Each structure stands twice: as structure tokens, then as C-alpha cells.
Amino acid sequence: GSWTHSVELCSEKDKLDNCNGEDQMNGFFMNMDDQVDQFARVVRADAKLAGGFNAIGFSQGNSVIRGYIHRYNQPPVRSFVSMHGTLMGVASIPRCPLSIPG
């Protein structure tokens, strides 16, 4: 079987999920080191990922996962797919809604 885990960027280090509003703001204002550290905390807390996992990064998630691979990679990323990432930089802050209905 497969397991999907979408990582949220919570502000509090002991909080690993249920922080959707913070996640959106932290995507812009949390520094990349803290984002990578949060990703590592969430991944390491998930027993289903303990033996390694395949990672797909969308947009800024590419940079976060690349940071995780270089800094931690335990549990290991077996394969990494980068989808429309920020690897060439960002020109401006897009106009994103603060909440997504549904």
C-alpha cells in the first residue's frame, strides 16, 4: 500500500499538524532552516516513514525537501520528485487567498 503525508509548517516546535493558517503564513515568513527542521520533526514522528520514503515536493516544498535530504535524510528519502519548484528563485509574492473553502 501507499501512505501520503502532507507536512504543515507549524510555528510551535511540538505541534506537527492542524495548523493550516500558520502553514500558509509560515511559507512566506518562516526562514528556510526552520521549515526544514519542522519537516524533519514531522517525518521522524511518523512511524510509517521510519524505513524511508519517496518524496514529492511542490513549489517551495522542493527547497524544504532538498534541505532535509542534505541536512538530515534520516529516515532516508529513497526518491525525490520536484514539481514546479523554486530552484531558480522567486520574483515576487503571489496573491494567495488566506483560506481555501472546502
Side-chain angles (χ1 to χ4, degrees), residues 6-86:
S6 181
V7 174
E8 294 178 67
L9 299 174
C10 302
S11 297
E12 298 173 31
K13 291 182 179 183
D14 60 340
K15 190 170 185 180
L16 303 177
D17 59 7
N18 295 319
C19 61
N20 192 35
E22 290 175 43
D23 174 64
Q24 196 166 41
M25 295 299 291
N26 287 338
F28 293 108
F29 300 113
M30 180 184 278
N31 73 53
M32 187 56 65
D33 286 331
D34 290 342
Q35 290 181 37
V36 170
D37 292 345
Q38 174 68 5
F39 183 87
R41 280 191 292 275
V42 172
V43 167
R44 289 174 168 185
D46 190 333
K48 293 179 182 177
L49 303 178
F53 59 98
N54 301 313
I56 301 174
F58 296 97
S59 191
Q60 187 171 327
N62 291 301
S63 299
V64 173
I65 295 171
R66 282 187 64 197
Y68 170 82
I69 291 168
H70 290 284
R71 183 179 292 163
Y72 295 99
N73 208 31
Q74 190 57 42
V77 173
R78 290 190 210 118
S79 63
F80 170 47
V81 176
S82 171
M83 301 289 290
H84 202 275
T86 58

Side-chain angles (χ1 to χ4, degrees), residues 24 28 93-100:
Q24 196 166 41
F28 293 108
I93 296 177
R95 293 185 179 181
C96 298
L98 289 178
S99 62
I100 300 170

